[in-house]
């Protein structure tokens, strides 16, 4: 926002001299008070059509215009900044024809000597100097021509004024920022100009408070217990559960911020701090000191983001060790594998997944965290928000929402086409026609979702009966053609969306994937990702938080690693191994790196070899490039 600037230099308007061909040519050579214009390119004998055109010439700060002769064309005039031309009071913005009958005036409008701007947050005012000395301007002389562009140049012999501290202070006295004016900063800029914005007044930014937040104490106990189990060879540590009377979380109350003031002295209120709303029914008790007490046994699950958090204690399911390969399961709670997960296992858990062994050729989706004591090979692991996205139930619902929406639009278009021919058709038959033609793939997707719902655990927190009925209707449209309407399709879409939203609400707000080693796999965490073992090979890793390689000799080869915050790697790439690509929002650190790429924020580069510990932030990487 510009609050004040030095006055724009505007030279007075000048009226242009006008001549007629008669008066120019009537007087003998040398008797006129003005020099004859030079006609460039005129032939020595006889006039041509160009000779009949009007002309313009500039001399001694005056513009002279002569009219065209019969069958000639008027002269054309334009101007270059800072010259402003006006014909009959209207600004000339493009080359314009002019005759001696037109009222032409000109003026100079130049850039101000300085400008004062205020920052977006209103807490700083900046002085930008453009020049210290102001000179008069004069028009550049120009020989007579049919087309002329009027130019001007400073007249170094006529100094109009010099900008001083006193002048700036006087001009700013009427401004509210005068109370906070930093005169030494002004003086330094005027005496040793940098021509860059200089802060000359400063308010005080408000100090934000802190919104209430929940310290989830029991999550730390789970992570600590899992890490202790790494050293317990030959034994299985079942995940810990909170007991009645256990303190599982603590609410840290909100604190109010401190107001500030802007460069004009106005109060800047601090951003409001938000309170926290907890929902825990009869499974917990909130104590006056801010502690949350468990009133049942199990793992406390914290759902929701922002100002509202729901707390419950989901059930746990311990998978039998004799479960065969290729099992498909969905469970509304935590899933525990006491040893290896059988090959080709598909797990959708609305909670945590614990694997006290290896996982191979499997797909694990958890709305909570995933803990793998061993190695993941040729597998897909998704936790938190990724566990919602890649959960089979929500994924199928999302696909069907898109497909059924397109089906509904196609039905409406087909119905309009029929009606335009003065015909009628039953809506259900339109749906049947499209399901047999353009949407022949849709029944397969409907059956897939029906199969998922049929195999669901009964504790899923939503009645899926109405959705199952809808799926049956559209799997057998011939039996229900009279009942299928646009309103029914709309109801179907709403039920699909409700189930999808129910899964999304089961996403836990603090998640982690903790795993020893990853090979040929995709591992995505909505929170942090910790590799506590040998490292990663030929895999894709992503985390909304940070990614950390804990062992000093951990490797990362042939992989894509992306973190919303930090990446803490050890050895990236190798002399005999493929390089990797590391992308982070805040920083990347490593001990050694070979033929790999790094990117932090908006900046990235390819590196050949670095044999020493390095930390890249966005700032340092920008300077390195």
């Amino acid at each position: 926002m510009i609050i004040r600037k030095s006055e724009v230099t505007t030279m007075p308007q000048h009226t242009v001299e006008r001549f007629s061909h008669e008066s120019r040519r009537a007087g003998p050579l040398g008797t006129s008070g003005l020099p004859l214009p030079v006609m460039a390119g005129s032939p020595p004998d006889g006039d041509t059509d160009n000779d009949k055109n009007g002309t313009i010439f500039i001399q001694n700060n005056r513009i002279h215009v002569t009219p065209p002769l019969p069958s000639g064309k008027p002269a054309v005039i334009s101007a270059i900044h800072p010259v402003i031309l006006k014909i009959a009071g209207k600004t000339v913005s493009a080359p314009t024809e002019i005759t001696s009958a037109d009222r032409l005036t000109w003026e100079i409008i130049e850039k101000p000597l300085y400008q004062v701007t205020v920052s977006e947050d209103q807490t700083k005012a900046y002085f930008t100097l453009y020049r210290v000395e102001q000179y008069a301007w004069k028009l550049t002389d120009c020989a007579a021509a049919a087309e002329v562009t009027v130019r001007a140049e400073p007249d170094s012999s006529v100094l109009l004024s010099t900008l001083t501290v006193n002048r700036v202070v006087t001009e700013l006295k009427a401004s509210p920022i005068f109370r906070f004016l930093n005169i030494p900063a002004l003086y330094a800029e005027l005496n040793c100009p940098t021509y860059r914005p200089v802060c000359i007044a400063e308010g005080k930014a408000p100090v934000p408070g802190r919104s209430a937040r929940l310290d989830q104490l029991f999550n730390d106990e789970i992570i600590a217990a899992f890490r202790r189990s790494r050293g317990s060879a030959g034994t299985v540590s079942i995940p810990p559960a909170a007991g009645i009377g256990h303190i599982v979380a603590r609410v840290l109350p909100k604190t109010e911020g401190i107001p500030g003031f802007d460069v004009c002295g106005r109060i800047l209120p601090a951003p409001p701090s938000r309170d926290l709303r907890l929902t825990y029914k009869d499974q917990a008790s909130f104590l006056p000191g801010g502690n949350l007490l468990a009133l049942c046994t199990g793992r406390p699950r914290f759902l929701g983001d922002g100002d509202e958090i729901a707390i419950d204690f989901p059930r746990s399911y311990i998978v039998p060790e004799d479960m065969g390969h290729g099992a498909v399961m969905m469970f509304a709670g935590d899933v525990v594998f006491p040893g290896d997960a059988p090959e080709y296992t598909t797990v959708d858990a609305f909670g945590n997944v614990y694997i006290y062994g290896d996982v191979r050729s499997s797909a694990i989706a958890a709305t909570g965290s995933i803990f793998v004591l061993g190695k993941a090979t040729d597998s897909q692991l998704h936790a938190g928000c990724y566990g919602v996205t890649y959960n089979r139930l929500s994924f199928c619902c999302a696909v069907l929402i898109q497909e059924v929406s397109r089906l509904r639009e196609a039905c409406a278009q087909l119905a309009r086409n029929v009606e335009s021919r003065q015909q009628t058709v039953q809506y259900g038959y339109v749906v049947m026609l499209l399901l047999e033609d353009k949407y022949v793939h849709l029944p397969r997707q409907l059956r897939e979702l029906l199969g998922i719902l049929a195999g669901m655990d009964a504790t899923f927190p939503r009645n899926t009966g109405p959705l199952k009925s809808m799926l049956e209707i559209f799997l057998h449209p011939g039996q229900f053609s009279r009942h299928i309407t646009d309103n029914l399709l709309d109801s179907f879409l709403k039920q699909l969306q409700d189930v999808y939203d129910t899964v999304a609400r089961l996403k836990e707000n603090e998640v982690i994937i903790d795993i020893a080693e990853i090979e040929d796999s995709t591992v995505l965490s909505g929170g942090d990702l910790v590799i506590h073992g040998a490292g990663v090979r030929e895999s894709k890793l992503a985390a909304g938080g940070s990614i950390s390689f804990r062992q000093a000799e951990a490797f990362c080869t042939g992989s894509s690693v992306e973190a919303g915050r930090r990446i803490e790697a050890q050895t990236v790439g190798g002399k005999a191994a493929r390089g990797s690509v590391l992308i982070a929002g805040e920083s990347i650190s490593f001990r050694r790196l070979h033929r790999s790429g790094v990117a932090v924020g908006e900046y990235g580069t390819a590196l050949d070899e670095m044999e020493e510990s390095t930390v890249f932030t966005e700032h340092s990487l920008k300077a390195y490039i």
Side-chain angles (χ1 to χ4, degrees), residues 310-323:
I311 302 165
D312 64 6
F313 293 77
R315 294 185 307 144
S316 294
Y317 175 70
I318 300 177
V319 179
E321 294 190 32
D322 59 354
M323 186 177 78

Side-chain angles (χ1 to χ4, degrees), residues 3 116-119 121-128 172 175-186 197-205 261-265:
I3 64 167
V116 176
T117 55
V118 175
S119 62
D121 64 1
Q122 308 290 307
T123 60
K124 291 185 179 181
Y126 295 95
F127 174 87
T128 304
L172 292 179
S175 170
I177 72 169
F178 184 74
R179 298 169 52 190
F180 309 103
L181 198 59
N182 184 347
I183 295 179
L186 267 177
V198 175
C199 183
I200 59 167
E202 191 168 359
K204 185 177 181 181
F261 57 90
D262 65 16
V263 291
C264 298

Side-chain angles (χ1 to χ4, degrees), residues 496-535:
L496 289 169
Q497 188 66 54
D498 286 346
V499 171
Y500 181 89
D501 293 340
T502 300
V503 177
R505 285 192 290 270
L506 292 172
K507 177 184 72 69
E508 301 189 30
N509 53 22
E510 289 187 13
V511 301
I512 186 174
I513 293 181
D514 198 321
I515 188 169
E517 189 175 347
I518 305 169
E519 183 174 357
D520 294 319
S521 298
T522 298
V523 179
L524 311 178
S525 170
D528 292 338
L529 171 56
V530 174
I531 298 94
H532 63 259

Side-chain angles (χ1 to χ4, degrees), residues 328-504:
V328 177
M329 63 177 297
M330 181 176 291
F331 185 73
D334 296 346
V335 176
V336 182
F337 290 86
D340 296 341
E343 283 188 279
Y344 311 111
T345 298
T346 300
V347 177
D348 295 289
F350 302 112
N352 290 350
V353 174
Y354 306 86
I355 301 173
Y356 288 90
D358 297 333
V359 54
R360 184 179 183 84
S361 301
S362 297
I364 310 294
T367 57
S369 300
I370 299 176
F371 300 88
V372 181
L373 197 61
K375 179 180 180 180
T377 306
D378 187 29
S379 297
Q380 297 182 359
L381 276 60
H382 305 114
C385 59
Y386 294 107
V388 171
T389 302
Y390 292 97
N391 177 283
R392 287 182 303 130
L393 177 59
S394 60
F395 183 81
C396 281
C397 285
V399 170
L400 280 173
I401 287 170
Q402 291 183 347
E403 292 297 322
V404 174
S405 296
R406 294 191 184 111
L407 173 65
R408 187 183 181 195
E409 292 173 4
C411 288
Q413 182 62 47
L414 186 56
R416 285 193 295 268
N417 292 341
V418 172
E419 292 171 358
S420 67
R421 295 194 294 268
Q422 308 300 319
Q423 297 174 332
T424 59
V425 63
Q426 190 174 340
Y427 193 88
Y429 289 127
V430 174
V431 174
M432 287 177 57
L433 178 64
L434 289 170
L435 287 175
E436 293 172 357
D437 182 20
K438 187 176 180 181
Y439 291 88
V440 68
H441 60 282
L442 195 54
R444 176 180 55 80
Q445 296 169 337
L446 297 173
R447 284 191 292 271
E448 183 180 357
L449 179 57
L450 188 60
I452 292 172
L453 294 175
M456 281 181 55
D457 183 83
T459 59
F460 184 71
R462 181 173 183 81
N463 180 16
T464 59
L467 180 56
K468 293 177 185 177
S469 300
M470 282 288 186
L471 291 169
E472 291 288 354
I473 290 174
F474 287 98
L475 281 171
H476 306 92
Q479 301 177 20
F480 303 97
S481 59
R482 290 188 175 185
H483 304 285
I484 297 177
T485 63
D486 181 70
N487 287 337
L488 190 70
L489 277 175
D490 183 56
S491 177
F492 187 24
L493 285 169
K494 288 179 179 177
Q495 290 185 37
L496 289 169
Q497 188 66 54
D498 286 346
V499 171
Y500 181 89
D501 293 340
T502 300
V503 177

